[in-house]
Amino acid sequence: MQDSDPLLYSYLKKSKAYFDGTRVLIDGGKTFRDFIRSNKDSRRFIKKLILQAAGIAVPIGPYEPKAAEETAPSNAEQSLRALAELGLEVSVQDSAGRPDPL
């Protein structure tokens, strides 16, 4: 791979891949995700390598951890409420500088 597609190799050498039973999900970060979406030849090459190594033809896709999404606050107000519940003094002002209760 390093000789055939050096850029792809540089993205993949520190990545992780997961097989969910139907496809291979690659955790290579945002830059890799953007690269692979725009590069059909590299996608085909990865699929070919998976076929050679595993003996099955599977689609590929980006791996995005769901745990990180579930634990992240959905908005700033929720974050501020959580801080207030921990005992921190939280003050919110609207754009005119008036206090806005949580």
Side-chain angles (χ1 to χ4, degrees):
M1 176 187 279
Q2 187 173 7
D3 294 334
S4 299
D5 195 333
L7 185 57
L8 179 60
Y9 174 78
S10 69
Y11 284 126
L12 289 178
K13 72 180 181 178
K14 294 183 182 180
S15 70
K16 294 180 181 180
Y18 305 91
F19 181 61
D20 71 357
T22 57
R23 61 193 167 165
V24 173
L25 303 174
I26 301 170
D27 184 4
K30 183 183 182 308
T31 305
F32 170 74
R33 185 187 69 224
D34 294 344
F35 167 78
I36 207 66
R37 282 182 178 161
S38 64
N39 195 316
K40 289 181 183 182
D41 291 334
S42 291
R43 283 195 310 263
R44 280 191 213 115
F45 187 53
I46 291 171
K47 290 176 186 180
K48 179 182 170 185
L49 292 174
I50 293 169
L51 177 61
Q52 289 174 350
I56 56 172
V58 292
I60 62 172
Y63 173 80
E64 297 179 18
K66 295 194 186 287
E69 293 172 15
E70 292 172 358
T71 60
S74 61
N75 62 39
E77 187 173 303
Q78 286 180 340
S79 297
L80 293 172
R81 282 197 175 128
L83 290 171
E85 288 172 7
L86 291 172
L88 295 171
E89 185 178 328
V90 177
S91 174
V92 178
Q93 297 179 350
D94 66 12
S95 59
R98 295 182 300 250
D100 186 20
L102 287 178

